[in-house]
Amino acid sequence: DLTGLLENREAEFTLPQIKCYFQQLLLGMQFLHSRGILHRDIKGSNLLINNKGELRVTDFGLARPLEEGRRDYTPGVVTRWYRPPEILFGATEYGKPADMWGVGCILGELFQRRPLFHGEGDFSQLEQIARLCGTPTPETMPDHGKYPLFEKIKLPAHRRQIMAHFQSIDPLARDLIDKLLVLDPARRLSAEEALRHAFFTTEPLP
């Protein structure tokens, strides 16, 4: 699985390889989302890579059909390190952007070879997200009224640091991470939008 490969220092990841694997992940998410399926547990250990360079999305134990107008999805989904801020704030009404947060975490992980966020609890997880993505505010999360815990959880004030944190990596990769790890789920890139990003059409190609 991808987590095991990233932990193995003998397994090198070139930029074209990262583009290839990430493009396949996005194609998998586009396939699922176009058929109305939420995966709800995107993480490195659920992504398998074979010796031909083919990536597969696996483990559909938490997957659910996306039902229009449904308001009672459980917030107890997605492994904490890849859980989007809206679910950490207790949202029960969420959709495809919840998967795309985990996808953004994976892209960052492909470059730094360790999880972006590794909180020991939900508050710790939100704190780490705030340090990198900025502290969630009513401006950066306009639908905060839907999140039961938003007003109850008080986080220190942090500015968004994604561009500075990833300053040593490919600029287009940095831009794509920045557009996937958006606090407001309504402004997070979809799989289809991410596939059209210049990251995949600029040399070196996937």
Side-chain angles (χ1 to χ4, degrees):
D1 62 46
L2 181 61
T3 297
L5 285 171
L6 290 173
E7 289 172 351
N8 180 358
R9 291 297 163 180
E10 293 182 8
E12 293 184 21
F13 283 73
T14 64
L15 184 56
Q17 283 174 316
I18 289 174
K19 289 184 178 187
C20 177
Y21 294 141
F22 195 64
Q23 188 176 53
Q24 290 180 74
L25 172 56
L26 288 172
L27 287 167
M29 298 318 298
Q30 182 188 40
F31 181 88
L32 292 174
H33 290 170
S34 69
R35 284 154 180 78
I37 294 172
L38 295 180
H39 186 279
R40 304 202 305 177
D41 200 17
I42 293 297
K43 59 182 177 180
S45 57
N46 285 344
L47 304 175
L48 303 184
I49 297 174
N50 67 17
N51 58 7
K52 297 177 184 176
E54 297 168 332
L55 181 142
R56 295 287 181 267
V57 180
T58 68
D59 193 346
F60 288 79
L62 291 176
R64 289 293 179 273
L66 185 61
E67 299 171 36
E68 189 136 3
R70 179 168 174 170
R71 297 175 182 273
D72 60 346
Y73 288 111
T74 175
V77 294
V78 187
T79 299
R80 181 182 292 116
W81 292 359
Y82 303 87
R83 193 176 297 163
E86 63 268 26
I87 293 182
L88 287 164
F89 280 123
T92 57
E93 185 181 350
Y94 54 81
K96 301 170 188 176
D99 279 344
M100 296 310 296
W101 177 270
V103 169
C105 291
I106 293 293
L107 182 55
E109 199 169 327
L110 280 165
F111 282 98
Q112 70 173 30
R113 301 195 69 129
R114 64 182 187 278
L116 293 189
F117 314 111
H118 41 84
E120 296 178 3
D122 287 0
F123 181 79
S124 166
Q125 186 70 13
L126 278 168
E127 253 192 332
Q128 292 188 28
I129 289 171
R131 281 192 215 115
L132 186 64
C133 303
T135 301
T137 65
E139 290 71 39
T140 57
M141 295 190 83
D143 285 340
H144 64 281
K146 294 180 182 177
Y147 311 142
L149 304 178
F150 189 88
E151 301 295 345
K152 297 176 183 176
I153 296 176
K154 303 301 179 187
L155 295 165
H158 294 285
R159 288 185 177 181
R160 193 167 175 84
Q161 299 288 340
I162 286 182
M163 291 307 206
H165 181 84
F166 288 104
Q167 62 182 341
S168 63
I169 73 168
D170 178 83
L172 288 171
R174 184 171 62 221
D175 182 70
L176 184 51
I177 293 169
D178 189 51
K179 288 174 176 169
L180 285 165
L181 294 183
V182 174
L183 296 173
D184 179 7
R187 293 192 295 118
R188 212 170 285 155
L189 286 189
S190 68
E192 192 171 348
E193 289 167 338
L195 282 165
R196 294 198 296 265
H197 195 276
F199 179 58
F200 300 110
T201 55
T202 305
E203 295 284 350
L205 296 175

